[in-house]
Amino acid sequence: MDSEDLERIVSILHVELRPEIMLGFHSHNNRQMSFALSQVFVQKLYGRRQMVVDASLCGMGRGAGNTTTELMSSFLNQKYHTAYDMNMILDTIDTYMDYFQEHYSWGYSTPYFIAGTYCAHVNNIAYLLDNHRTSALEMHSIISSLSETQRLQYDYDLLESKYLEYRSQTVDDKAVYDRLRKDFQGRRVLLLSPGASLQKEKEKIRDYIEKENPICIGVNAAAVDYEYDYLFFSNQMRYEYAKDVYPEVLKAKTSILLSNIKSTAEQGECIVNFNLLIKRGWKHFDNATILCLRFMGKLHVKEVALAGFDGFSTSHKDNYVDARMPRINPGMSMEELNEEIGEMFRDFRQSMQGQMELTFVTDSKFAD
């Protein structure tokens, strides 16, 4: 709501409700307006009707959180001469809130701003974040495509269809496959995923490249210590980051992009259908290395080696060869992520049994 929305609603309720009925206000901080709206609520009813304002210490609450108790109490003490004990409130924050802030997250975020802007139920946002880790741009496009009525509901089947409609742009990729099958025929391929082992085990990887002379493919990243033959991108944020940080690498090499990133190729790019490489059934079904492996299967590559396909630890900076790369799985359980990627890898390996030989050049949580 904006302040004029709240003023209109409060005016109607004040006129229509019996004087002895208390009026309460509970707000969410999707657009950083919860405290401001709480002030408007008090100003509108002070001296005219009993009222109550919901608030929480440090604004703790689901998603974007709620009105902040310490701010509201201080405001009421200063403007309306109430007697809330600020020492008690601050002591309670010191005593209890560090634990909650360490173990849980809430507060302003771009996805919840989008929910507030479009008056969309937060369950829509939670579904897209939990199941697809959508970027802000993707979420904006999906939520804005819903009708006003649909935004107030949380129809997960509808959201799923809208997500796939957005991500699964259909392109004619026959010529791409024909060309790359010829280029890859009879060659061994090395997938260079962006794990930290690309730096830690650099000499080992370089020795492998010198000895085996594979086709080298950078997966969702372009680490400068390696010479690539191709770059493979399945994620918009990682692609945009690589273009900004390593523009010369992208200009010099052919980039294979999935159609969820773009549907029209520019010079030096190949577009491949996203929806023909995904396999549903896992929350993290769009892992880049798994998608690239499936792409190798469609190219009939017989031997694939993996480097940098490390698996995840709890520290973001320890997971990637370039710690500045944008995170595409914030808030996810690393244990759950590793488990699902392991399941997808085993599923792929079983499906390609006798058709593709897979080897690990660097240590990985998924090697067994």
Side-chain angles (χ1 to χ4, degrees):
M1 289 189 292
D2 292 313
S3 58
E4 54 267 30
D5 298 318
L6 179 61
E7 290 179 0
R8 175 178 55 83
I9 294 169
V10 169
S11 296
I12 294 170
L13 292 174
H14 180 63
V15 169
E16 298 296 335
L17 291 175
R18 294 195 303 272
E20 66 271 19
I21 294 176
M22 182 183 292
L23 196 57
F25 182 60
H26 175 100
S27 60
H28 295 168
N29 207 22
N30 292 41
R31 296 196 298 151
Q32 293 287 74
M33 292 184 64
S34 191
F35 178 41
L37 291 173
S38 296
Q39 294 179 62
V40 171
F41 180 78
V42 172
Q43 291 162 354
K44 191 75 177 173
L45 289 177
Y46 183 75
R48 303 170 69 195
R49 178 184 293 272
Q50 281 191 306
M51 61 184 135
V52 60
V53 175
D54 284 357
S56 57
L57 296 175
C58 300
M60 182 174 69
R62 180 185 180 190
N66 306 100
T67 300
T68 308
T69 298
E70 54 272 27
L71 289 177
M72 199 63 201
S73 301
S74 177
F75 164 76
L76 292 171
N77 284 352
Q78 291 176 16
K79 299 295 185 181
Y80 296 97
H81 310 293
T82 53
Y84 291 101
D85 188 338
M86 294 305 299
N87 289 332
M88 176 78 73
I89 291 171
L90 295 174
D91 182 56
T92 305
I93 290 173
D94 288 339
T95 303
Y96 295 103
M97 294 310 295
D98 280 350
Y99 170 83
F100 291 107
Q101 290 178 317
E102 182 179 345
H103 290 83
Y104 303 94
S105 61
W106 66 87
Y108 174 81
S109 71
T110 306
Y112 287 102
F113 151 70
I114 294 170
T117 299
Y118 285 101
C119 297
H121 196 288
V122 293
N123 282 8
N124 295 311
I125 300 300
Y127 178 85
L128 292 171
L129 286 174
D130 291 344
N131 290 279
H132 299 299
R133 309 190 305 282
T134 49
S135 67
L137 176 61
E138 292 170 335
M139 191 172 295
H140 181 268
S141 298
I142 294 167
I143 296 298
S144 65
S145 72
L146 301 174
S147 70
E148 291 185 6
T149 302
Q150 290 168 340
R151 293 170 193 163
L152 296 174
Q153 302 164 348
Y154 34 99
D155 183 337
Y156 297 142
D157 290 336
L158 175 63
L159 283 173
E160 190 66 22
S161 66
K162 289 288 186 181
Y163 171 78
L164 290 176
E165 178 183 321
Y166 178 82
R167 295 293 299 264
S168 302
Q169 303 180 66
T170 301
V171 298
D172 183 359
D173 55 10
K174 182 179 183 302
V176 172
Y177 276 100
D178 289 344
R179 169 195 156 191
L180 293 181
R181 282 183 184 127
K182 291 179 182 177
D183 293 347
F184 282 59
Q185 188 174 17
R187 295 289 304 275
R188 177 176 287 144
V189 172
L190 173 62
L191 302 187
L192 293 164
S193 300
S197 64
L198 288 194
Q199 178 62 36
K200 296 174 183 176
E201 301 186 61
K202 183 165 55 177
E203 294 307 315
K204 185 177 180 180
I205 298 169
R206 286 179 171 173
D207 287 345
Y208 178 87
I209 293 172
E210 184 176 349
K211 178 182 176 183
E212 302 294 344
N213 188 32
I215 293 175
C216 293
I217 302 177
V219 180
N220 254 7
V224 293
D225 290 330
Y226 294 93
E227 285 291 329
Y228 299 99
D229 298 293
Y230 296 89
L231 297 167
F232 176 92
F233 290 98
S234 66
N235 179 271
Q236 180 81 42
M237 285 191 293
R238 291 284 175 80
Y239 171 62
E240 297 295 342
Y241 176 79
K243 283 203 304 182
D244 288 342
V245 178
Y246 307 112
E248 297 306 316
V249 178
L250 267 69
K251 286 179 183 178
K253 303 301 176 184
T254 299
S255 292
I256 301 165
L257 311 177
L258 298 193
S259 60
N260 58 309
I261 297 176
K262 60 194 302 188
S263 56
T264 304
E266 299 178 35
Q267 186 175 357
E269 295 177 344
C270 300
I271 310 295
V272 178
N273 276 310
F274 168 79
N275 58 324
L276 296 182
L277 294 180
I278 63 172
K279 183 175 180 180
R280 305 308 297 271
W282 294 278
K283 182 185 294 186
H284 312 285
F285 67 89
D286 56 352
N287 176 265
T289 302
I290 300 297
L291 294 175
C292 194
L293 282 171
R294 293 197 187 114
F295 181 55
M296 293 299 102
K298 289 183 177 293
L299 294 179
H300 309 310
V301 175
K302 301 299 183 185
E303 296 178 83
V304 176
L306 298 133
F309 188 40
D310 303 346
F312 294 92
S313 66
T314 54
S315 173
H316 174 69
K317 66 182 179 63
D318 294 335
N319 284 329
Y320 298 105
V321 65
D322 179 358
R324 299 171 299 171
M325 284 198 308
R327 296 184 67 176
I328 58 177
N329 48 13
M332 295 292 176
S333 162
M334 296 298 103
E335 183 178 344
E336 176 187 316
L337 188 57
N338 287 329
E339 183 177 336
E340 285 206 343
I341 294 173
E343 288 178 4
M344 288 188 288
F345 179 69
R346 289 189 292 273
D347 175 79
F348 172 77
R349 187 170 55 186
Q350 184 176 2
S351 71
M352 297 300 295
Q353 196 167 15
Q355 302 176 59
M356 180 187 293
E357 179 185 337
L358 291 167
T359 58
F360 285 89
V361 179
T362 58
D363 292 337
S364 170
K365 293 182 185 294
F366 312 118
D368 53 32

